Amino acid sequence: MPYSRPSPTTALNGASGTVASRPSPTTALNGASGTVASRPSPTTALNGASGTVASRPSPTTALNGASGTVASRPSPTTALNGASGTVASRPSPTTALNGASGTVASRPSPTTALNGASGTVASRPSPTTALNGASGTVASRPSPTTALDGASGTVASRPSPTTALDGASGTVASRPSPTTALDGASGTVASRPSPTTALDGASGTVASRPSPTTALDGASRPLRPLRILIAGDTYPPDVNGAGYFTHRLAEGLAERGHRVHVVCPSEEGEPYVRRNGRVMEHRLRSARMPLQDGMRAAVPLGTGGHIARLVRRLDPDVVHAQSHFTLSRSAIRAGRAAGIPVVLTNHFMPDNLYAHARIPEAMRAMVGDLAWRDMVRVAGEADHLTTPTPRAAALLREKGFAGEVESISCGIDLERFHPRSDRSAARGRFGLPDRDTIVFVGRLDEDKRIDDTIRALALISREHDAQLALAGLGRDEEELRALAAELGVADRVFFLGFVPDAELPLFYAAGDVFAIAAVAELQSIATLEAMATGLPVVVADAMALPHLVEEGRNGFLFPPGDPVRMADRLLTVLSAGRARSALGETARELALRHDHHRSLERFEEVYRGLRPSALPPTRPERIAVA
């Protein structure tokens, strides 16, 4: 567990990893027991062996480091031999004691220093120079922000307190902020993303937490579970990426031992509270969304007050909102008002809004601009903003968000989604003919551009026996069926409707390649799941999708809105023979970067790092909800 050193007056006990309070510079820490020994004034000193304080009645006495006893220094011109504890005569302030022999070496002035090896004096022209302990030569230290390399005696520049010296090479490693740390072995900087992470002094790596509730401090120490309130304007049974991610985040955090509450719209209309597995769901009164079959939104009237009361009762450690819409916006403001840290994850793209609200083409630019301004304004109220990909983070900055944005992958369950060998059996499970199959998972709505995929299939089928299987629902289904009939491939396009989450891994296994033509994907969980299953992918070269593809290694890109090029790329994969397996193997390897356990761990670090001093060791739950 990383321990905070709030100021220079605290110190770490090397044995237990706990922090010992040093109320002032006149106290010191016993390195053996970790207790604090009082140094009432600069004329007392601590015995490093026993931790007791030896009285130095005046500047003319000194402490023997071996026995802890005080040796009398009758005047400033005497000094203590560190080996025998005896006093060697220092005829004047310009002489010094050789620590090896106990003899006195002449120090002509206060700006000279003694070489500990030979006892000779090296000239120190000013307090900004320092002595190399190996050779006795003097290295210039132009200012307090420079430091001496103990090996070579050369000076390494420390431009500011946020830089540090590598004890091995003498080079300076940049410490951009107090949340980075220097590896004493290599001089490299190990990233400490937040005050709740720690650097392993041996390897220089950031201390790996063996489990969500332990941290590295030399011994495993439990961290108390967090109480987390997740707010989402969409949640299962809604079928969309944001709702799917929110559900998996809640379940994953609960499985890691945290107390997780979710506030979201009721799928029934009437409000209710229930425990769903490990997660407590607070469903708010909802109404059907115009033009959206099966989608409901929280009724604005009363939502703010209800969430504010919920926040006061639950007293969560963090509020994590999943959008900037009505319900999530109320949660953000309630959290801020209660002094609770707020995290916001952005899943929003105006293209999704256009499709849902049927915005006319001529008005989309204006509506999109207004929507982004609203998003950026609400995002400014959060303490920490995340997006699923670096591209999505860059987009927010392009739209005017001036704060920090962190990209944290939505993550996928690599244990559930993995390569399977019996593709024919999987096809049989879904009633698909046993031939090469292109698969897609997602909403059958305008923003997914499934019409491009159907047009590409029509071109492919002229020279290759292939079919398209679609898992999902949407209001464009009838239009897509009509298009398939018009193009003569109605018998090759299979609309499977809603496929339960438990059966999705088997559905991917029925395919030979995954294809998506959408241009508004902030990550595309479906593409990642397909890759984890070992499928090559053919995706539009738009938004975050290109970040998932290494051209020719795990799949291919095609220009958005170009079904001819899409068909060509799909044919390349379907005709690849054995090379198709290699594409799938690489896809799986790339998907391993998006393990959802890693994403969950990072969110935990974010939660704890927002206000670590406000998280006491224990804090009882103050609400019981049936």
Side-chain angles (χ1 to χ4, degrees):
M1 174 178 181
Y3 291 91
S4 173
R5 295 183 57 223
S7 72
T9 61
T10 57
L12 183 66
N13 176 4
S16 66
T18 56
V19 173
S21 174
R22 294 178 57 219
S24 73
T26 60
T27 58
L29 182 67
N30 177 2
S33 67
T35 56
V36 174
S38 175
R39 294 178 57 218
S41 73
T43 60
T44 57
L46 182 67
N47 177 3
S50 66
T52 56
V53 174
S55 175
R56 294 178 57 218
S58 72
T60 60
T61 57
L63 183 67
N64 178 359
S67 65
T69 57
V70 175
S72 176
R73 295 177 58 217
S75 72
T77 60
T78 57
L80 183 67
N81 178 358
S84 64
T86 57
V87 175
S89 176
R90 295 176 57 218
S92 72
T94 59
T95 57
L97 183 67
N98 177 359
S101 64
T103 58
V104 175
S106 177
R107 294 177 57 220
S109 73
T111 59
T112 58
L114 183 67
N115 177 1
S118 65
T120 57
V121 175
S123 176
R124 294 178 57 219
S126 72
T128 59
T129 57
L131 183 67
N132 176 2
S135 65
T137 56
V138 175
S140 176
R141 294 180 57 220
S143 72
T145 59
T146 57
L148 183 67
D149 173 19
S152 66
T154 55
V155 174
S157 176
R158 294 180 56 219
S160 72
T162 59
T163 56
L165 183 66
D166 173 17
S169 67
T171 55
V172 174
S174 176
R175 293 180 57 219
S177 72
T179 59
T180 56
L182 182 67
D183 173 15
S186 66
T188 55
V189 173
S191 176
R192 293 179 58 217
S194 73
T196 59
T197 56
L199 184 67
D200 177 5
S203 65
T205 54
V206 172
S208 173
R209 294 216 306 265
S211 76
T213 57
T214 59
L216 187 66
D217 67 347
S220 178
R221 296 183 181 275
L223 293 172
R224 73 166 183 83
L226 295 172
R227 190 157 49 250
I228 303 165
L229 177 61
I230 299 176
D233 287 84
T234 180
Y235 198 74
D238 295 346
V239 180
N240 57 68
Y244 184 50
F245 165 75
T246 305
H247 178 257
R248 289 191 303 107
L249 175 67
E251 293 288 339
L253 291 169
E255 287 174 3
R256 294 167 74 87
H258 302 295
R259 300 186 181 105
V260 181
H261 297 257
V262 174
V263 57
C264 58
S266 168
E267 79 280 20
E268 300 172 359
E270 292 301 311
Y272 66 88
V273 178
R274 73 174 179 188
R275 180 171 294 281
N276 188 354
R278 297 182 178 91
V279 176
M280 186 68 73
E281 296 179 2
H282 303 260
R283 298 274 186 167
L284 303 190
R285 188 180 305 280
S286 67
R288 290 191 179 277
M289 293 180 63
L291 307 176
Q292 286 294 303
D293 295 334
M295 289 282 289
R296 305 185 71 92
V299 175
L301 185 62
T303 292
H306 184 100
I307 293 178
R309 290 189 295 274
L310 182 64
V311 167
R312 287 195 297 270
R313 295 204 322 266
L314 294 178
D315 189 21
D317 296 303
V318 64
V319 173
H320 190 168
Q322 301 299 316
S323 79
H324 67 294
F325 297 121
T326 305
L327 188 152
S328 295
R329 186 176 313 206
S330 295
I332 291 171
R333 290 174 179 169
R336 296 289 292 176
I340 294 168
V342 174
V343 177
L344 170 61
T345 295
N346 180 47
H347 305 277
F348 170 72
M349 278 289 289
D351 300 66
N352 306 134
L353 179 66
Y354 305 153
H356 291 314
R358 296 187 182 276
I359 305 297
E361 188 74 32
M363 296 180 61
R364 291 187 174 185
M366 180 188 69
V367 171
D369 181 62
L370 292 174
W372 273 120
R373 289 185 187 181
D374 186 45
M375 168 64 205
V376 168
R377 182 175 58 81
V378 176
E381 299 180 29
D383 295 291
H384 195 85
L385 181 63
T386 77
T387 61
T389 61
R391 178 67 189 95
L395 180 63
L396 270 172
R397 296 187 190 99
E398 292 168 10
K399 297 302 180 181
F401 184 74
E404 292 186 7
V405 187
E406 179 179 3
S407 60
I408 303 177
S409 174
C410 290
I412 49 173
D413 189 341
L414 295 169
E415 296 173 3
R416 290 187 60 227
F417 296 96
H418 59 82
R420 299 169 186 257
S421 57
D422 198 345
R423 184 169 284 115
S424 296
R427 288 175 185 151
R429 166 66 183 80
F430 294 100
L432 301 173
D434 192 10
R435 59 189 175 201
D436 283 350
T437 304
I438 304 164
V439 294
F440 169 81
V441 175
R443 291 177 288 103
L444 307 185
D445 289 334
E446 177 187 343
D447 56 311
K448 298 300 182 182
R449 299 196 177 189
I450 300 167
D451 57 320
D452 285 348
T453 309
I454 294 176
R455 295 180 193 280
L457 175 67
L459 297 172
I460 292 169
S461 62
R462 297 173 185 174
E463 53 185 288
H464 193 95
D465 187 19
Q467 62 193 5
L468 171 63
L470 303 170
L473 299 169
R475 64 169 178 265
D476 285 1
E477 181 174 337
E478 291 306 315
E479 294 179 17
L480 294 172
R481 286 182 180 275
L483 177 62
E486 178 186 336
L487 297 175
V489 290
D491 60 336
R492 293 178 178 271
V493 181
F494 294 85
F495 294 85
L496 302 183
F498 174 72
V499 174
D501 184 62
E503 295 186 17
L504 278 178
L506 191 62
F507 174 75
Y508 287 115
D512 296 275
V513 60
F514 179 88
I516 180 170
V519 296
E521 298 296 311
L522 290 183
Q523 181 162 49
S524 183
I525 294 173
T527 303
L528 281 173
E529 289 173 345
M531 290 167 58
T533 310
L535 294 187
V537 295
V538 174
V539 306
D541 188 3
M543 273 307 294
L545 291 174
H547 293 273
L548 302 179
V549 176
E550 293 188 6
E551 193 88 7
R553 295 195 65 234
N554 72 311
F556 299 94
L557 301 170
F558 64 89
D562 190 342
V564 175
R565 292 288 296 279
M566 183 182 189
D568 177 69
R569 295 306 195 188
L570 285 168
L571 273 173
T572 299
V573 174
L574 295 174
S575 305
R578 292 183 178 178
R580 189 196 304 174
S581 297
L583 290 169
E585 290 172 3
T586 303
R588 169 70 181 180
E589 291 175 8
L590 296 178
L592 296 180
R593 303 172 182 173
H594 299 272
D595 185 349
H596 75 129
H597 291 297
R598 188 178 305 166
S599 299
L600 291 169
E601 182 174 311
R602 179 58 194 142
F603 275 116
E604 287 175 331
E605 291 172 348
V606 169
Y607 298 157
R608 294 189 187 278
L610 284 175
R611 195 177 57 182
S613 60
L615 302 182
T618 59
R619 192 166 159 207
E621 186 92 17
R622 294 208 291 264
I623 179 173
V625 184

